[in-house]
Amino acid sequence: MINGKDLTIREAKNLIKQYQNELDVYLTQKNINYLKTQPKAMQIKDIVVDSSHVNIDSFLNYVSKDEEYDSKIYGLLASIYSYKSYIAKEIQRMSEFDEIGYIVYLKEDERKSWREIDKILHHGEDYSRTKYKRYLS
């Protein structure tokens, strides 16, 4: 819960993006500090950090300890993974127990077509659109 209200999937995705941007800053700063310790001059192409965050090199993090940024980086990674886990579990819960919420999520947040939504839910044609219109009225 954020500020006493339920966290939506959209808000969780927004927080993930925000944390990933902040993580980029800290990884770049850590890389700059590491390159300052090397005997040759820094080049700008060495400073740019991969923003996918899929392949964070554990060995490099072990070798280049930076007390200023390491705790922030690991904290942000833990937050990102926890929100991604929350999103996956929430989508699974909605698909099992909250069909109209899942339809609204697929249509408004994921921007799926009615045909795709019906296919995901294993229903006949226009079932989701009809249910969505009844929900809105």
Side-chain angles (χ1 to χ4, degrees):
M1 292 178 34
I2 292 181
N3 298 331
K5 66 176 189 170
D6 293 332
L7 180 67
T8 64
I9 294 175
R10 179 178 285 168
E11 291 168 342
K13 286 183 176 183
N14 184 30
L15 285 172
I16 288 172
K17 293 271 190 202
Q18 179 183 355
Y19 289 155
Q20 285 177 339
N21 292 339
E22 195 173 338
L23 184 62
D24 283 338
V25 170
Y26 290 130
L27 286 172
T28 303
Q29 290 297 325
K30 181 178 177 177
N31 198 11
I32 289 171
N33 286 347
Y34 173 73
L35 290 174
K36 285 179 183 177
T37 63
Q38 300 307 304
K40 63 179 185 175
M42 287 190 305
Q43 295 182 6
I44 193 70
K45 68 179 178 73
D46 295 334
I47 295 175
V48 177
V49 176
D50 178 28
S51 63
S52 67
H53 309 299
V54 176
N55 297 325
I56 293 179
D57 190 2
S58 301
F59 180 72
L60 181 61
N61 283 334
Y62 176 75
V63 170
S64 67
K65 291 289 182 187
D66 192 340
E67 294 176 5
E68 183 180 356
Y69 297 113
D70 281 346
S71 63
K72 295 175 185 176
I73 289 171
Y74 292 130
L76 286 170
L77 284 172
S79 296
I80 288 169
Y81 292 143
S82 68
Y83 281 118
K84 285 184 177 183
S85 174
Y86 167 77
I87 289 171
K89 289 177 182 176
E90 187 66 13
I91 288 174
Q92 183 179 8
R93 181 198 64 81
M94 285 179 15
S95 69
E96 292 175 8
F97 301 110
D98 186 15
E99 188 174 69
I100 190 64
Y102 193 45
I103 291 171
V104 170
Y105 166 74
L106 289 173
K107 186 62 181 170
E108 294 177 0
D109 291 347
E110 294 294 321
R111 308 236 188 260
K112 300 276 188 194
S113 69
W114 291 117
R115 180 167 285 169
E116 290 173 320
I117 294 172
D118 289 332
K119 194 176 207 180
I120 291 170
L121 295 175
H122 305 292
H123 290 301
E125 197 168 323
D126 274 348
Y127 173 84
S128 301
R129 184 184 346 217
T130 306
K131 197 160 189 171
Y132 183 75
K133 285 182 181 178
R134 286 181 190 157
Y135 167 74
L136 291 179
S137 59

